[in-house]
Amino acid sequence: MIARQIADAVNQDRLLESIDTLATFGARGDGGVDRPALGERDIEARRFLIDRARALGCSVHVDACANLFFRREGGAALAPVMTGSHIDTQPTGGKLDGCYGVLAGFEVLAALNDANARTRRPLEVAIWTNEEGTRFSPGAMGSSAFVEPSRMARYADVRDSERITLSAALDHHRRAFPGLPQRAQHEAAHAFVELHIEQGPQLEDAGVPLAVVNGIQGVRWYAFHVQGTAAHAGTTPMPLRRDAMTLAIALRQELDAIAHELGRADTRVTFGRWSIEPNSINTIPSAVSFTIDFRHPDASVLAAFDEHAHAIAQRHGARIEALFTHAPVAFDASVLACIDEACRALDARTLHLTSGAFHDAMYLATHCPSGMIFVPSIDGISHNPAEATDAGHLVLGARALAHCLTTLCND
Ligand code: HGY
Ligand code: MN
Ligand code: MN
């Protein structure tokens, strides 16, 4: 049966070599990767993958948000099956987050070629721009613009920490790849399957090699801006101070408490990015900004947290800025059944779980039947140079992806 044949044509050495080679673009000295979206290292990594896709006989297209599409034609003029993920990384990222899903997609293309197989539908591997959202906020910008092109108007003027706008970064990308054929966004797709590392401990704790991902929990990002008064650290008596950091810490404590009260055991709250002005050792802070990343599988908890966050900000005289929000997502039952069938065919035990991390699939799920496959993360570590997955699991995940995509491409 063709799906099993393609799964068996997945080549471990080729897959692992591609992961190590892609990781050289923005390699850190500690084994991790620092490859911000649309920066020089990202552009060189894209050039490497464009060349590799062309060598596999694929056509290459780009859209208005610099999403890349590597397409292997099928026998019929039908909507493609899509797979893929992102290759931008966290500043202290690993070599697998996102990249593994893109490279496993490439491995499926190569396995189809090795088997000289002609699927009914085209297969497309996508690279979605700026999924991490650390250079330009919000996250998953490319996939969200692909499914809803009107979002581009809002994204164009978003600036990174060096005040470079997304549109300037996109212009830079266009100049780097002048001959790349442009493609409209919102192209129809028959289905989308994303393979990704779990980035958490569940699969490893259960001793299970693959997860069929039922959906993704919801997420809310905010920035809080607190005003104080700059003054001399040595001469200003404590009672006379308006120390922005003292005010911010009190605000953080209240937000942290309400997050845990509302979310209970499923709470995931992170105060990840801080900025202080004037950030001088001997001047009382005049302004402090910090971010919150709040996640939960229950939409009503997310809504309640939003209300409390605004009320707490108001009570503290702080300005609150909503940066990103996405409701919990449930993936398509027929795609999940196809993933289940692939895992069974490969005699792999599976867990069904909800993703703690968000992924581009959360937007593709609004566009076409979508689903995800996870492989274990060693020690549950991710967004960290130590991010790693057992080679056998990486190959098994790619084989399950190959089996599932081949089945869907012959729908
Ligand atoms: O933040 C996330 O969940 C994703 O890893 N960017
Ligand atoms: Mn990711
Ligand atoms: Mn990530």
Side-chain angles (χ1 to χ4, degrees):
M1 187 248 197
I2 183 69
R4 178 60 196 253
Q5 187 189 340
I6 306 305
D8 291 346
V10 164
N11 179 303
Q12 166 160 334
D13 293 342
R14 185 169 54 197
L15 174 64
L16 299 181
E17 173 277 329
S18 68
I19 291 170
D20 289 341
T21 305
L22 183 59
T24 61
F25 298 93
R28 290 165 47 96
D30 55 10
V33 181
D34 177 11
R35 189 168 58 236
L38 298 176
E40 287 314 318
R41 302 167 200 159
D42 189 30
I43 284 179
E44 288 320 304
R46 285 164 169 249
R47 199 180 308 283
F48 159 72
L49 292 173
I50 287 168
D51 294 346
R52 191 162 271 220
R54 284 181 172 143
L56 288 167
C58 294
S59 62
V60 182
H61 289 81
V62 65
D63 75 3
C65 200
N67 296 312
L68 291 175
F69 305 94
F70 307 117
R71 182 183 177 109
R72 183 180 196 271
E73 286 308 333
L78 293 168
V81 172
M82 296 182 78
T83 187
S85 190
H86 61 96
I87 63 166
D88 63 302
T89 75
Q90 289 284 326
T92 57
K95 56 175 77 169
L96 295 172
D97 179 358
C99 302
Y100 169 54
V102 169
L103 295 169
F106 269 74
E107 182 50 37
V108 176
L109 293 170
L112 286 163
N113 285 357
D114 290 352
N116 201 19
R118 177 58 60 202
T119 56
R120 189 161 168 263
R121 294 178 177 277
L123 173 62
E124 284 193 359
V125 179
I127 292 180
W128 303 113
T129 301
N130 191 47
E131 187 277 345
E132 292 291 359
T134 53
R135 181 179 180 194
F136 298 106
S137 181
M141 218 179 226
S143 51
S144 64
F146 172 77
V147 301
E148 183 42 79
S150 66
R151 289 184 171 118
M152 282 303 289
R154 180 155 50 93
Y155 292 162
D157 296 333
V158 169
R159 291 180 185 273
D160 68 7
S161 57
E162 284 154 33
R163 311 298 300 152
I164 297 169
T165 62
L166 175 77
S167 49
L170 290 172
D171 287 345
H172 180 62
H173 185 273
R174 265 187 286 278
R175 287 191 298 275
F177 301 105
L180 220 44
Q182 288 276 336
R183 187 173 106 168
Q185 293 176 300
H186 205 74
E187 291 270 330
H190 177 61
F192 176 75
V193 182
E194 182 171 1
L195 173 60
H196 205 286
I197 53 173
E198 180 202 334
Q199 301 182 288
Q202 297 181 69
L203 280 172
E204 186 177 64
D205 289 352
V208 171
L210 293 177
V212 179
V213 184
N214 299 321
I216 300 179
Q217 68 177 341
V219 53
R220 300 261 177 152
W221 284 1
Y222 303 90
F224 288 82
H225 307 283
V226 181
Q227 286 301 324
T229 305
H232 196 294
T235 57
T236 314
M238 297 312 286
L240 301 184
R241 296 181 179 214
R242 286 192 69 247
D243 183 330
M245 183 49 92
T246 307
L247 298 168
I249 288 171
L251 179 59
R252 180 201 182 286
Q253 299 316 66
E254 235 184 286
L255 291 163
D256 189 60
I258 194 64
H260 284 88
E261 186 186 319
L262 292 170
R264 303 271 179 238
D266 286 330
T267 293
R268 300 289 183 275
V269 60
T270 310
F271 300 83
R273 180 184 285 164
W274 291 76
S275 68
I276 302 170
E277 288 173 17
N279 206 27
S280 160
I281 190 166
N282 52 356
T283 299
I284 299 167
S286 55
V288 170
S289 294
F290 63 88
T291 57
I292 278 194
D293 174 323
F294 180 68
R295 316 235 184 157
H296 201 276
D298 181 337
S300 65
V301 169
L302 292 156
F305 179 77
D306 184 66
E307 264 183 56
H308 281 277
H310 281 84
I312 291 168
Q314 192 172 21
R315 200 161 52 248
H316 284 258
R319 181 166 66 86
I320 180 172
E321 194 185 350
L323 298 174
F324 176 37
T325 179
H326 202 285
V329 168
F331 287 133
D332 176 87
S334 66
V335 172
L336 297 185
C338 181
I339 296 170
D340 259 326
E341 183 199 332
C343 298
R344 247 194 324 276
L346 300 175
D347 296 324
R349 287 173 56 224
T350 59
L351 267 188
H352 277 242
L353 55 78
T354 297
S355 176
F358 65 71
H359 302 282
D360 293 303
M362 68 184 171
Y363 283 111
L364 271 294
T366 65
H367 182 69
C368 64
S370 298
M372 290 190 76
I373 307 169
F374 277 173
V375 293
S377 292
I378 293 173
D379 298 332
I381 289 280
S382 181
H383 284 194
N384 180 310
E387 176 182 281
T389 295
D390 174 84
H393 290 156
L394 291 173
V395 175
L396 181 59
R399 295 184 64 215
L401 181 71
H403 191 287
C404 179
L405 293 177
T406 305
T407 302
L408 292 167
C409 278
N410 288 314
D411 265 359

